[in-house]
Amino acid sequence: NILNSVFQSNSALQSGGAIGIQLDSSGNLGIRIAGCSFKDHVALSGGTISVGGDQYRNALISNNTISQSNANSYGGSINLEGPGTYLVDTLTSESSSSLYGGVLSHVTLSSSNLTMRKVKCQQTYADKSGGGFYINGNVNLSIE
């Protein structure tokens, strides 16, 4: 779990400017990122947070504030790959992507669930598709 933390001015050449989590097929993982503040992050995908892997099961990203985040491909703030992700009560502002999903990109080949509850987006942009959200694949999407 990553709780009540502050991340500022970080970058990654690949995934997750502040937090990058990748799990291979050898195990399952559950993670909670909650009560954090993120500002000024850059990465190829998932400008602030990137979560991926074939066996990924449960990610709860809740009660966070993300600002000034940029990705050069997918997910200006958050890039998600794989099953079982939940984004709850998160505020994102001034987020952009050079391709897909100014705030969030969720791409999967397997069956996946994505629940978004009380998500707030301000001043977000994507060059190709999904200024706010880009969803591609077999995704059961719930917006509450």
Side-chain angles (χ1 to χ4, degrees), residues 82-144:
T85 304
Y86 307 90
L87 178 63
V88 180
D89 200 19
T90 292
L91 169 63
T92 302
S93 63
E94 299 176 56
S95 177
S96 65
S97 172
S98 296
L99 292 177
Y100 303 102
V103 173
L104 176 138
S105 173
H106 185 50
V107 178
T108 184
L109 298 176
S110 58
S111 179
S112 178
N113 295 311
L114 173 61
T115 300
M116 294 187 285
R117 182 180 303 130
K118 296 182 183 177
V119 176
K120 300 173 187 90
C121 305
Q122 301 169 341
Q123 299 173 330
T124 62
Y125 176 81
D127 284 342
K128 283 203 166 196
S129 295
F133 305 103
Y134 177 75
I135 311 296
N136 187 351
N138 186 10
V139 179
N140 179 19
L141 177 63
S142 175
I143 300 175
E144 303 171 359

Side-chain angles (χ1 to χ4, degrees), residues 9-68:
S9 301
N10 297 291
S11 64
L13 293 176
Q14 292 292 319
S15 300
I19 299 171
I21 299 167
Q22 183 71 31
L23 186 68
D24 63 23
S25 60
S26 63
N28 294 319
L29 177 68
I31 187 163
R32 189 174 99 189
I33 301 170
C36 297
S37 173
F38 298 93
K39 183 176 181 181
D40 188 27
H41 297 94
V42 177
L44 178 64
S45 64
T48 296
I49 299 169
S50 182
V51 177
D54 295 338
Q55 298 298 315
Y56 205 86
R57 290 295 177 240
N58 296 301
L60 175 61
I61 302 171
S62 68
N63 300 312
N64 299 294
T65 302
I66 302 171
S67 65
Q68 299 173 357

